[in-house]
Structures are given as structure tokens and as C-alpha cells.
């Protein structure tokens, strides 16, 4: 009885390890294929330009940028700090 259990355990262990090894190799190959395709096929440009038309007079817009004390009132990306 014990020898049957030991045999079953060894068969189960080696089959599980074999499946684990096969899955590991498949995952590594898929990762390598993905990395190679991203390297060779995707054009990754680091430079970009944003151009917008503003319907306000230049004097009013420049005054907002020039006065840094009012910068946090209209800029939503900077938190308001109470000094």
C-alpha cells in the first residue's frame, strides 16, 4: 500500500514539475517575442509638441504667466498653499 502511494507521489511530482517547466519556457518565449516586437515594430518618439489657439488678447494671457503670485489661482495642476 505504501509503495503504491510513494509511486503515485513520484509520478505526480515529476509530471507537475514537467508541466511547470514547459509553462515556464512558454512564458519566457512569449515574453521574448513581445519584447522583440516592441523593440522592432513600435516607433517610440520622445518629442512632441502641443499647439493651441487661445481666443484671448496676448496682454491678458501674458499677465497671468508673468505674475507668479497668481499662478496657483488659475493653474489646476499646482496645489494652493496657504503660507
Amino acid at each position: 500500500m505504501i509503495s503504491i502511494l510513494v509511486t503515485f507521489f513520484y509520478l505526480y511530482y515529476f509530471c507537475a514539475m514537467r508541466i511547470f517547466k514547459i509553462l515556464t519556457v512558454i512564458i519566457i518565449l512569449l515574453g521574448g517575442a513581445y519584447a522583440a516586437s516592441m523593440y522592432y515594430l513600435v516607433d517610440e518618439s520622445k518629442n512632441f509638441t502641443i499647439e493651441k489657439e487661445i481666443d484671448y488678447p496676448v496682454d491678458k494671457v501674458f499677465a497671468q504667466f508673468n505674475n507668479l503670485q497668481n499662478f496657483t489661482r488659475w493653474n489646476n495642476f499646482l496645489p494652493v498653499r496657504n503660507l
Side-chain angles (χ1 to χ4, degrees), residues 30-66:
L30 287 175
Y34 175 74
S37 67
M38 293 306 265
Y39 182 76
Y40 289 111
L41 301 177
V42 176
D43 182 29
E44 192 174 321
S45 65
K46 306 266 186 208
N47 301 326
F48 59 92
T49 305
I50 298 174
E51 296 180 9
K52 284 189 170 185
E53 292 291 327
I54 301 174
D55 295 334
Y56 293 104
V58 176
D59 295 334
K60 283 190 173 185
V61 174
F62 181 75
Q64 292 293 326
F65 282 100
N66 197 28

Side-chain angles (χ1 to χ4, degrees), residues 3-51:
S3 64
I4 294 172
L5 290 174
V6 170
T7 306
F8 178 72
F9 173 74
Y10 281 125
L11 288 175
Y12 176 75
Y13 177 75
F14 288 123
C15 288
M17 290 304 293
R18 186 175 189 180
I19 291 172
F20 178 72
K21 288 178 184 178
I22 290 171
L23 288 176
T24 303
V25 169
I26 289 172
I27 289 171
I28 289 173
L29 289 176
L30 287 175
Y34 175 74
S37 67
M38 293 306 265
Y39 182 76
Y40 289 111
L41 301 177
V42 176
D43 182 29
E44 192 174 321
S45 65
K46 306 266 186 208
N47 301 326
F48 59 92
T49 305
I50 298 174
E51 296 180 9

Side-chain angles (χ1 to χ4, degrees), residues 68 70-81:
L68 293 178
N70 292 332
F71 192 66
T72 56
R73 291 186 187 166
W74 62 269
N75 191 350
N76 294 331
F77 296 105
L78 294 176
V80 177
R81 294 183 182 169

